Amino acid sequence: MYGPILAKDAKITGGFWKDKQDLLRDVTVQAVYDRFEETGRFGALCGYWKEGMPKPHIFWDSDTAKWIEGAAYLLMGQRDAALEEKCDDLIARVCALQMEDGYFNSYYQAMEIENRFTQRGNHELYCLGHWIEAAVAYDQATGKDALLQACRRYVALVDRVFRVERSAGFDTPGHEEIELALYKLYRHTSDDMYMTLMRYFVDTRGVPGKDRCVAHYGGGSFYLQSHQPVRRQSQCEGHSVRAMYLYCAMADQAAEDGDEELAEACRRLFENCAGRRMYVTGGIGSTHQGEAFTEDWDLPNREAYAETCAALGLALFARRMVKLDVKGRYMDAAETALFNGALSGLSLSGDCFFYENPLEYSPLRGRIARRIPETPVHCAIGERVKVFGCSCCPPNVLRVYGSLQEFLYGESEDTLYVHMFAESEARTRFGVVRQKTDYPRVGSVEILPPEGEYTLAVRLPRWAKNVCFRVNGEEIRPEVREGYAYIRRGWSEGDSVRLDFDLPVRILRAHPRVGEDAGMACVSRGPVIYCLEGADNGEGLADLALRSDGEARVVMDETFGLPIIALPGSRSVPDDPSDPDQTYPLYADRPYPRQAADLIFIPFYAWANRGENEMRVWVREE
Amino acid sequence: MYGPILAKDAKITGGFWKDKQDLLRDVTVQAVYDRFEETGRFGALCGYWKEGMPKPHIFWDSDTAKWIEGAAYLLMGQRDAALEEKCDDLIARVCALQMEDGYFNSYYQAMEIENRFTQRGNHELYCLGHWIEAAVAYDQATGKDALLQACRRYVALVDRVFRVERSAGFDTPGHEEIELALYKLYRHTSDDMYMTLMRYFVDTRGVPGKDRCVAHYGGGSFYLQSHQPVRRQSQCEGHSVRAMYLYCAMADQAAEDGDEELAEACRRLFENCAGRRMYVTGGIGSTHQGEAFTEDWDLPNREAYAETCAALGLALFARRMVKLDVKGRYMDAAETALFNGALSGLSLSGDCFFYENPLEYSPLRGRIARRIPETPVHCAIGERVKVFGCSCCPPNVLRVYGSLQEFLYGESEDTLYVHMFAESEARTRFGVVRQKTDYPRVGSVEILPPEGEYTLAVRLPRWAKNVCFRVNGEEIRPEVREGYAYIRRGWSEGDSVRLDFDLPVRILRAHPRVGEDAGMACVSRGPVIYCLEGADNGEGLADLALRSDGEARVVMDETFGLPIIALPGSRSVPDDPSDPDQTYPLYADRPYPRQAADLIFIPFYAWANRGENEMRVWVREE
């Protein structure tokens, strides 16, 4: 059976992602900690509230848990006494908070303990799910299991109340997360009870008569994916982060149980997402209304919500789909989200964040949306901030990019999988595998496989062109199936598999049914989606047009960590109000004069690092 | 001095506008009356309110007044005893309502008479302004002056309270209208006091220390054009209907007084409007937030508010600008608004209305905007309705199109002006002038001037190409200045001036700074702006592209009253999900296949008469 190589068994040792993980270690982990400390999230773990203290929020525990989980991944790579002490301290507070029967939740214990397990929308099981993920990671990183034991006692309570007695005020979580966490706990402890409880939550969800839906948002049962039994679902509905976490659990369960019916549901949902409801950046969830999916092909750029957490969720779901089918399509989507729609959530400085990741921004539209302060129209912000009221994204960035090595490798009885390219090493059942590469800066990768007789399977990303394989210097033509190249042989110490491929600038177009992108193109190279930004191209980006057959210049940029791209195009000749011959009317019955212009594209994830300015991903074609 | 030929002295006798005026007479006037009756607007004139009655609203009187004014214009053309009786009855109720000191206002008298003249935002003077316009029109139409006398007594009160004693709770109206109405009253009665009060309101507005601004909406003093003395204003700001009514009064006053400073302000404001803030349809006011102007070049199509009343207001303002300068530019704008952004407010059936007139609509976006009923996102409706809660537009359509003949002619000591083409006749100081034409269906006009020695000035619309003038069959080349052709001669009985011109299909583009229209074109013919509608072109209008050098086919359509236009273009080859070779991915690095297609354009004003469907004015160019 296929299994991933977990974060604890792999390590990124160089290149683009190493730089990002170093940034997390050097800046982000402390920055998020400081903001959470300041806003009272850690203080809330005292379990009481009195006038003068910030009021604890129902999701604060999840923020703290995700921070600990993220810190744990950093500790896996490199122990750090000061960071570990912070974690230990927070964990000690959680353990002190735990009630006799196992329950702990800083919001409920402080504010309304009598109402615990009654409000489906109040994130209790969601918070527990994140505590579990943190506990497993921290145990793996440090061997300290205090949080893990606390979680196991709490889960025992949940199992009794929800599954055995069915005495809670609702049946399945309002915000999914505990399901995939229970699966992690099961894998970590091998205790079947967790798998049983996970199956219970997954299979009860949306079943008429069994899953009471307490609609707490306008989308009703769709909002929280309870509109149908999960096995019957085929369209991504409702709150997009909730949806992704549910689908993660469904994929985990389908793979674990060899449950083909559930696997089919996962495949339908993935195809609906990646085939009709996903931005080219890997962002998902088109509307701020319920942070939700809308309808097929509805992908407005300026209004895109495309929450950072949702793109991270898509990457986590796609990674799990590989357990069902080894197809390049899945990791293509994961890599797209990781390099674009999720990474844009983090500033280059490592301490500021976007919650929303629109594909177009203009200060003008932002100004107009916010011009009546009493009744603002929703519009994404144009500069990253240090913390949000609902600050789920910053620690999610920390934990997912902190464990990015978990995306790289997988294994089955006779095959070692290389899913993503990054300078790295990993412990597998076959021995230690290594990659040497500076991908995606360049298109060459050297894989050093461990000794033995097995198949090496290497994913060929959709954007890698003219791939050439060499084994010990000798070109081979491996069998390629569904985006993976398969090389079976007896491997010896010192063997080297080398891939060289082109990473051309690719001009992408959207399916014609995506009306918002009609007549426009998007520039990409490798997994990276590019954008125009005002800082490089001046005001009025909508006026710029791309000559899509023009020759691209690709120039490495140290600030962004990846190249910038210049492409030929055109722009209007500017008005000259002092010269009547160059003052153009508002509407005219002939084209306004244009002139050639170089269009400068930067990686989408790097926008909004030079002050508030215009940005657009989709650019019109000449 | 220049003066317009008033509605009472002119008559539309045939053609497109005659059809519309007949529709007003046959359908609209009764339809609006019935809705106002049903909703309690007429009942409110009893001047009291008790439980069980609909609560009167602060602007209901203006609705009733505009309906009477509209009815009066219809009566000018053709007396109608039943209609006149309805008017008489309403007027009798108003007169009975009038208080000892002259005041009448159905809302204040019923609800809070002790607060009269204290709330700037409560439309009292606005309502009075509309009563005055109704009174003047009704006196002109029927010779009955009961309402006129009532208004004169009320105005005397306003003059004392506001101008003489300055004892009201505010200084100038929150919603302009009374100013231009006072000018009409002055012209009708020759009583200088009305001109004095009008000047007081115009010149006090926005003067620091003199005009207390009680901001009652987020835009503050900008919202109601009180941010600066009006003579200093140069940008169209705030609520767009208020702005237009103010500018109308400013232009009236500037012309009456030969006030060059005020005239310059009017010119600046007109240029800002028509040069940077006006949709190609003549719609104005880009945002629903305060029904307001936003910033230069900000003209989003889907989100366009472009209220029917605002386009009507622009036409009224532009018509007055001719009193300051005889320039084709002004009547071009008026005619554009009248044929497009205002006329779209009226259904072809004559009994349904749009308040907002976006330049793009999609049922998908409407559905998504309204999918969470508790927290809808603002989105225009896609089907006209019979009445609105705030139903200012329907009676405004009635009164402005009911008096459309007032746009056609003007006169000065030695010149007779023909501003707009329509089969019509008018009494002028020179005698009766007649036009025979089926413009804008065709580009030929015959003018039958009265006898005498004077100059005939004929506006040449921007969209009339290759104009050929013939006097009594003989071609002449008149002097053309600022969009008017001037022919001076001694005219004899039976003389005929004939213009023949082309009305080609014109492909318009917007100024490059209008980002929302970049890469797109708009189809027009004569004064009429066209649009694509789903009913003719299927779903997915954004996918259609126009070949702007293609040959247009222009085919008369009886339903719409004007031709439809077919132009060559292209659309994507549809997906065929059953054929893998014809199933396209969501994003691809090569263009999706396209095929030739005929694009069918209908007049913009005629959209949404065949059920809810997609519409767009700006279409991308191949």
Side-chain angles (χ1 to χ4, degrees), chain A residues 116-176:
Chain A
R116 75 177 200 182
F117 297 148
T118 64
Q119 298 298 110
R120 193 181 186 193
N122 275 4
H123 289 41
E124 273 166 302
L125 300 180
Y126 169 79
C127 288
L128 173 54
H130 279 302
W131 284 126
I132 295 169
E133 289 203 88
V136 169
Y138 200 66
D139 187 33
Q140 288 171 339
T142 65
K144 297 178 186 173
D145 69 350
L147 184 58
L148 185 70
Q149 296 312 329
C151 287
R152 296 185 72 165
R153 285 178 56 209
Y154 188 175
V155 171
L157 172 69
V158 168
D159 186 62
R160 178 166 60 76
V161 169
F162 281 82
R163 189 181 64 84
V164 180
E165 298 176 356
R166 307 201 61 197
S167 58
F170 55 96
D171 302 298
T172 64
H175 193 317
E176 301 91 327

Coordinates of all heavy atoms in Angstrom, one line a residue, chain A residues 116-176:
Chain A
R116 N -21.2 23.5 26.5 CA -20.3 22.8 25.7 C -21.0 21.7 24.9 O -22.0 21.2 25.4 CB -19.1 22.2 26.6 CG -19.6 21.0 27.4 CD -18.4 20.4 28.2 NE -18.7 19.1 28.6 CZ -17.9 18.3 29.3 NH1 -16.7 18.8 29.7 NH2 -18.2 17.1 29.6
F117 N -20.5 21.4 23.8 CA -21.1 20.3 22.9 C -22.5 20.6 22.5 O -23.3 19.7 22.3 CB -21.0 18.9 23.5 CG -19.6 18.5 23.8 CD1 -19.3 17.6 24.9 CD2 -18.5 18.8 22.9 CE1 -18.0 17.1 25.1 CE2 -17.2 18.3 23.1 CZ -17.0 17.5 24.2
T118 N -22.9 21.9 22.4 CA -24.3 22.2 22.0 C -24.4 23.0 20.7 O -25.4 23.0 20.1 CB -25.1 22.9 23.1 OG1 -24.5 24.2 23.3 CG2 -25.1 22.1 24.4
Q119 N -23.3 23.7 20.4 CA -23.4 24.6 19.3 C -22.5 24.1 18.1 O -21.3 24.1 18.2 CB -22.9 26.0 19.7 CG -23.6 26.7 20.8 CD -25.1 26.9 20.4 OE1 -26.0 26.3 20.9 NE2 -25.3 27.8 19.4
R120 N -23.2 23.7 17.1 CA -22.4 23.1 16.0 C -21.4 24.1 15.4 O -20.4 23.7 14.9 CB -23.4 22.6 14.9 CG -22.7 21.7 13.9 CD -23.6 21.2 12.8 NE -22.9 20.2 12.0 CZ -23.3 19.8 10.8 NH1 -24.5 20.2 10.3 NH2 -22.6 18.9 10.1
G121 N -21.8 25.3 15.4 CA -21.0 26.3 14.7 C -19.9 26.8 15.6 O -19.1 27.7 15.1
N122 N -19.7 26.3 16.8 CA -18.7 26.9 17.7 C -17.3 26.3 17.7 O -16.6 26.5 18.7 CB -19.3 27.1 19.1 CG -20.1 28.3 19.2 OD1 -20.3 29.1 18.2 ND2 -20.6 28.6 20.4
H123 N -16.9 25.5 16.7 CA -15.5 25.1 16.5 C -14.9 24.3 17.6 O -13.7 24.2 17.6 CB -14.7 26.4 16.3 CG -14.9 27.1 15.0 ND1 -16.1 27.3 14.5 CD2 -14.0 27.7 14.2 CE1 -16.0 28.0 13.3 NE2 -14.8 28.3 13.2
E124 N -15.7 23.7 18.5 CA -15.0 22.9 19.6 C -14.2 21.7 19.0 O -13.1 21.5 19.4 CB -16.1 22.3 20.5 CG -16.5 23.2 21.6 CD -17.8 22.7 22.3 OE1 -18.8 22.5 21.5 OE2 -17.8 22.4 23.5
L125 N -14.9 20.9 18.1 CA -14.2 19.7 17.6 C -13.1 20.2 16.6 O -12.1 19.5 16.5 CB -15.2 18.8 17.0 CG -16.3 18.3 17.9 CD1 -17.2 17.3 17.2 CD2 -15.7 17.6 19.1
Y126 N -13.3 21.3 16.0 CA -12.3 21.8 15.1 C -11.0 22.2 15.9 O -9.9 21.8 15.6 CB -12.8 23.1 14.4 CG -11.9 24.0 13.7 CD1 -11.4 23.7 12.4 CD2 -11.4 25.2 14.3 CE1 -10.5 24.5 11.8 CE2 -10.5 26.0 13.6 CZ -10.1 25.7 12.4 OH -9.2 26.5 11.7
C127 N -11.2 22.8 17.1 CA -10.1 23.1 17.9 C -9.4 21.9 18.4 O -8.1 21.8 18.4 CB -10.5 24.0 19.1 SG -11.0 25.7 18.7
L128 N -10.2 20.9 18.8 CA -9.6 19.6 19.3 C -8.8 19.0 18.1 O -7.7 18.5 18.3 CB -10.7 18.7 19.8 CG -10.2 17.3 20.1 CD1 -9.0 17.3 21.1 CD2 -11.4 16.4 20.6
G129 N -9.3 19.1 16.9 CA -8.6 18.5 15.8 C -7.2 19.1 15.7 O -6.2 18.5 15.5
H130 N -7.1 20.4 15.8 CA -5.8 21.1 15.7 C -4.9 20.8 16.9 O -3.7 20.6 16.7 CB -6.0 22.6 15.5 CG -6.3 22.9 14.1 ND1 -5.5 22.6 13.0 CD2 -7.4 23.6 13.5 CE1 -6.0 23.0 11.9 NE2 -7.1 23.6 12.1
W131 N -5.5 20.6 18.1 CA -4.7 20.2 19.2 C -4.1 18.8 18.9 O -2.9 18.5 19.2 CB -5.5 20.1 20.5 CG -5.9 21.4 21.2 CD1 -7.1 21.8 21.5 CD2 -5.0 22.4 21.6 NE1 -7.0 23.1 22.1 CE2 -5.7 23.4 22.2 CE3 -3.6 22.5 21.6 CZ2 -5.2 24.6 22.7 CZ3 -3.0 23.7 22.1 CH2 -3.8 24.7 22.7
I132 N -4.9 17.9 18.3 CA -4.4 16.6 18.0 C -3.2 16.7 17.0 O -2.2 16.0 17.2 CB -5.5 15.7 17.4 CG1 -6.6 15.4 18.5 CG2 -4.9 14.4 16.9 CD1 -7.9 14.8 17.9
E133 N -3.4 17.5 15.9 CA -2.3 17.6 14.9 C -1.0 18.1 15.6 O 0.1 17.7 15.3 CB -2.7 18.5 13.8 CG -3.8 17.8 12.9 CD -3.8 18.4 11.5 OE1 -3.0 18.0 10.6 OE2 -4.5 19.4 11.2
A134 N -1.2 19.1 16.5 CA -0.1 19.7 17.2 C 0.6 18.6 18.1 O 1.8 18.5 18.1 CB -0.5 20.9 18.0
A135 N -0.3 17.8 18.8 CA 0.2 16.8 19.7 C 1.1 15.8 19.0 O 2.1 15.4 19.5 CB -1.0 16.2 20.5
V136 N 0.5 15.3 17.9 CA 1.3 14.3 17.1 C 2.6 14.8 16.6 O 3.6 14.2 16.8 CB 0.4 13.8 16.0 CG1 1.2 12.9 15.0 CG2 -0.8 13.0 16.5
A137 N 2.5 16.0 16.1 CA 3.8 16.6 15.5 C 4.8 16.9 16.7 O 6.0 16.6 16.5 CB 3.5 17.9 14.8
Y138 N 4.3 17.3 17.8 CA 5.2 17.7 18.9 C 5.8 16.4 19.5 O 7.0 16.4 19.9 CB 4.5 18.5 20.0 CG 5.5 19.3 20.8 CD1 6.2 20.3 20.3 CD2 5.6 18.9 22.2 CE1 7.1 21.0 21.1 CE2 6.5 19.6 23.0 CZ 7.3 20.7 22.5 OH 8.2 21.3 23.2
D139 N 5.0 15.4 19.6 CA 5.5 14.1 20.0 C 6.6 13.6 19.1 O 7.7 13.1 19.5 CB 4.4 13.1 20.2 CG 4.8 11.8 20.8 OD1 5.7 11.8 21.7 OD2 4.3 10.7 20.4
Q140 N 6.3 13.7 17.8 CA 7.3 13.2 16.8 C 8.6 14.0 16.8 O 9.7 13.5 16.7 CB 6.7 13.3 15.3 CG 5.6 12.3 15.1 CD 4.9 12.5 13.8 OE1 4.9 13.7 13.3 NE2 4.2 11.5 13.2
A141 N 8.4 15.3 17.1 CA 9.6 16.2 17.0 C 10.4 16.1 18.3 O 11.7 16.2 18.2 CB 9.1 17.7 16.9
T142 N 9.8 15.9 19.4 CA 10.5 16.0 20.7 C 10.4 14.8 21.6 O 11.1 14.7 22.6 CB 10.0 17.2 21.5 OG1 8.6 16.9 21.9 CG2 10.0 18.5 20.8
G143 N 9.5 13.9 21.2 CA 9.3 12.7 22.1 C 8.5 13.1 23.4 O 8.3 12.2 24.2
K144 N 8.0 14.3 23.5 CA 7.2 14.7 24.6 C 5.8 14.5 24.3 O 5.3 15.0 23.3 CB 7.5 16.2 24.9 CG 8.9 16.5 25.3 CD 9.1 18.0 25.6 CE 10.6 18.3 25.8 NZ 10.8 19.8 25.9
D145 N 5.1 13.8 25.2 CA 3.7 13.4 24.8 C 2.6 13.9 25.7 O 1.5 13.4 25.8 CB 3.6 11.8 24.7 CG 3.8 11.2 26.0 OD1 4.1 11.9 27.0 OD2 3.5 10.0 26.1
A146 N 3.0 14.9 26.5 CA 2.0 15.5 27.4 C 0.7 15.9 26.7 O -0.4 15.6 27.1 CB 2.5 16.6 28.2
L147 N 0.9 16.7 25.6 CA -0.3 17.1 24.8 C -1.0 16.0 24.2 O -2.2 15.9 24.1 CB 0.2 18.2 23.8 CG -1.0 18.8 23.0 CD1 -2.0 19.6 23.9 CD2 -0.4 19.8 22.0
L148 N -0.2 15.0 23.7 CA -0.8 13.8 23.1 C -1.7 13.1 24.1 O -2.8 12.7 23.8 CB 0.3 12.9 22.6 CG -0.2 11.7 21.8 CD1 -0.7 12.1 20.4 CD2 1.0 10.7 21.6
Q149 N -1.2 12.9 25.3 CA -2.0 12.2 26.3 C -3.3 13.0 26.7 O -4.4 12.4 26.8 CB -1.2 11.9 27.6 CG 0.0 11.0 27.4 CD -0.3 9.7 26.6 OE1 -1.4 9.2 26.7 NE2 0.6 9.2 25.8
A150 N -3.1 14.3 26.8 CA -4.3 15.2 27.0 C -5.3 15.0 25.9 O -6.5 14.9 26.2 CB -3.9 16.6 27.2
C151 N -4.8 15.0 24.7 CA -5.8 14.9 23.6 C -6.5 13.5 23.6 O -7.6 13.4 23.3 CB -5.0 15.0 22.2 SG -4.6 16.8 21.9
R152 N -5.7 12.5 23.9 CA -6.3 11.1 23.9 C -7.4 11.0 24.9 O -8.5 10.4 24.7 CB -5.2 10.1 24.1 CG -4.2 10.0 23.0 CD -3.2 8.9 23.2 NE -3.8 7.6 22.9 CZ -3.2 6.5 22.7 NH1 -1.8 6.5 22.7 NH2 -3.8 5.4 22.4
R153 N -7.2 11.7 26.1 CA -8.3 11.7 27.1 C -9.5 12.5 26.6 O -10.7 12.0 26.8 CB -7.8 12.3 28.4 CG -6.9 11.4 29.2 CD -6.4 12.0 30.5 NE -7.5 12.5 31.3 CZ -7.4 13.5 32.1 NH1 -6.3 14.3 32.2 NH2 -8.4 13.9 32.9
Y154 N -9.3 13.6 25.9 CA -10.4 14.4 25.4 C -11.1 13.6 24.3 O -12.3 13.6 24.2 CB -9.8 15.7 24.9 CG -10.8 16.8 24.5 CD1 -10.3 18.1 24.1 CD2 -12.2 16.6 24.4 CE1 -11.2 19.1 23.7 CE2 -13.0 17.6 24.1 CZ -12.5 18.8 23.7 OH -13.4 19.8 23.3
V155 N -10.3 13.0 23.4 CA -11.0 12.2 22.3 C -11.8 11.1 22.9 O -12.9 10.8 22.4 CB -9.9 11.7 21.4 CG1 -10.5 10.7 20.4 CG2 -9.2 12.8 20.6
A156 N -11.4 10.5 24.0 CA -12.2 9.4 24.6 C -13.6 10.0 25.0 O -14.6 9.4 24.9 CB -11.5 8.8 25.8
L157 N -13.5 11.2 25.6 CA -14.8 11.9 25.9 C -15.7 12.1 24.7 O -16.9 11.8 24.7 CB -14.5 13.2 26.7 CG -15.7 14.1 27.0 CD1 -16.5 13.5 28.1 CD2 -15.2 15.5 27.4
V158 N -15.0 12.6 23.7 CA -15.8 12.9 22.4 C -16.4 11.6 21.9 O -17.5 11.6 21.5 CB -14.9 13.6 21.4 CG1 -15.5 13.7 20.0 CG2 -14.5 15.0 21.9
D159 N -15.6 10.6 21.9 CA -16.1 9.3 21.4 C -17.4 8.9 22.1 O -18.3 8.4 21.5 CB -15.0 8.3 21.5 CG -15.4 7.0 20.8 OD1 -15.6 7.0 19.6 OD2 -15.5 6.0 21.5
R160 N -17.3 9.0 23.4 CA -18.4 8.6 24.3 C -19.6 9.5 24.0 O -20.7 9.0 23.7 CB -18.0 8.7 25.7 CG -19.2 8.3 26.7 CD -18.7 8.0 28.1 NE -18.0 9.2 28.7 CZ -18.6 10.2 29.2 NH1 -20.0 10.3 29.2 NH2 -18.0 11.2 29.8
V161 N -19.4 10.8 24.1 CA -20.6 11.7 24.0 C -21.2 11.7 22.6 O -22.4 11.7 22.4 CB -20.1 13.2 24.4 CG1 -21.2 14.2 24.0 CG2 -19.7 13.2 25.8
F162 N -20.3 11.7 21.5 CA -20.8 11.9 20.2 C -21.2 10.5 19.6 O -22.3 10.4 19.0 CB -19.8 12.6 19.3 CG -19.8 14.1 19.5 CD1 -19.1 14.7 20.5 CD2 -20.6 14.9 18.7 CE1 -19.1 16.0 20.7 CE2 -20.6 16.3 18.9 CZ -19.9 16.9 19.9
R163 N -20.3 9.6 19.7 CA -20.6 8.3 18.9 C -21.4 7.3 19.7 O -22.4 6.7 19.3 CB -19.3 7.7 18.5 CG -19.4 6.5 17.5 CD -18.1 5.9 17.1 NE -17.4 5.4 18.3 CZ -17.6 4.1 18.7 NH1 -18.4 3.3 18.1 NH2 -16.9 3.7 19.8
V164 N -20.9 7.1 21.0 CA -21.6 6.0 21.8 C -22.9 6.5 22.4 O -23.9 5.9 22.1 CB -20.6 5.6 22.9 CG1 -21.3 4.5 23.8 CG2 -19.3 5.1 22.3
E165 N -22.9 7.6 23.1 CA -24.1 8.1 23.7 C -25.0 8.9 22.8 O -26.2 9.0 23.0 CB -23.8 8.9 25.0 CG -23.1 8.1 26.0 CD -22.7 9.0 27.2 OE1 -22.9 10.2 27.2 OE2 -22.1 8.4 28.2
R166 N -24.3 9.5 21.8 CA -25.0 10.5 21.0 C -25.8 11.5 21.8 O -27.0 11.9 21.5 CB -26.0 9.8 20.0 CG -25.2 8.7 19.2 CD -25.9 8.4 17.9 NE -26.0 9.6 17.0 CZ -26.8 9.7 16.0 NH1 -27.7 8.7 15.7 NH2 -26.8 10.8 15.3
S167 N -25.2 12.0 22.8 CA -25.9 13.0 23.7 C -25.5 14.4 23.5 O -26.0 15.3 24.2 CB -25.5 12.6 25.1 OG -24.1 12.7 25.3
A168 N -24.7 14.7 22.5 CA -24.3 16.1 22.2 C -25.5 16.8 21.5 O -26.4 16.2 21.0 CB -23.0 16.2 21.4
G169 N -25.4 18.1 21.4 CA -26.4 18.9 20.7 C -26.4 18.9 19.2 O -27.2 19.5 18.5
F170 N -25.3 18.3 18.7 CA -25.2 18.1 17.2 C -24.5 16.8 17.0 O -24.0 16.2 17.9 CB -24.5 19.3 16.6 CG -23.1 19.7 17.2 CD1 -22.0 19.2 16.6 CD2 -23.0 20.4 18.4 CE1 -20.7 19.4 17.2 CE2 -21.8 20.7 19.0 CZ -20.6 20.2 18.4
D171 N -24.4 16.5 15.7 CA -23.9 15.1 15.4 C -22.5 15.1 14.8 O -21.7 14.2 15.1 CB -24.9 14.4 14.5 CG -26.2 14.3 15.1 OD1 -26.3 13.7 16.2 OD2 -27.2 15.0 14.6
T172 N -22.2 16.1 13.9 CA -20.9 16.1 13.3 C -20.4 17.6 13.4 O -21.2 18.5 13.5 CB -21.0 15.7 11.8 OG1 -21.8 16.6 11.1 CG2 -21.5 14.3 11.7
P173 N -19.1 17.7 13.2 CA -18.5 19.1 13.5 C -19.0 20.1 12.5 O -19.3 19.8 11.3 CB -17.0 18.8 13.3 CG -16.8 17.4 13.4 CD -18.1 16.7 12.9
G174 N -19.2 21.3 13.0 CA -19.6 22.4 12.1 C -18.4 22.8 11.2 O -18.7 23.2 10.1
H175 N -17.2 22.7 11.7 CA -16.1 23.0 10.9 C -15.2 21.7 10.9 O -14.6 21.4 12.0 CB -15.3 24.2 11.4 CG -14.2 24.7 10.5 ND1 -13.4 23.9 9.8 CD2 -13.9 26.0 10.2 CE1 -12.6 24.7 9.1 NE2 -12.9 25.9 9.3
E176 N -15.1 21.0 9.8 CA -14.4 19.8 9.8 C -12.9 20.1 10.1 O -12.4 21.2 9.8 CB -14.5 19.2 8.4 CG -15.9 18.8 8.0 CD -16.6 19.9 7.2 OE1 -16.3 21.1 7.5 OE2 -17.4 19.6 6.3

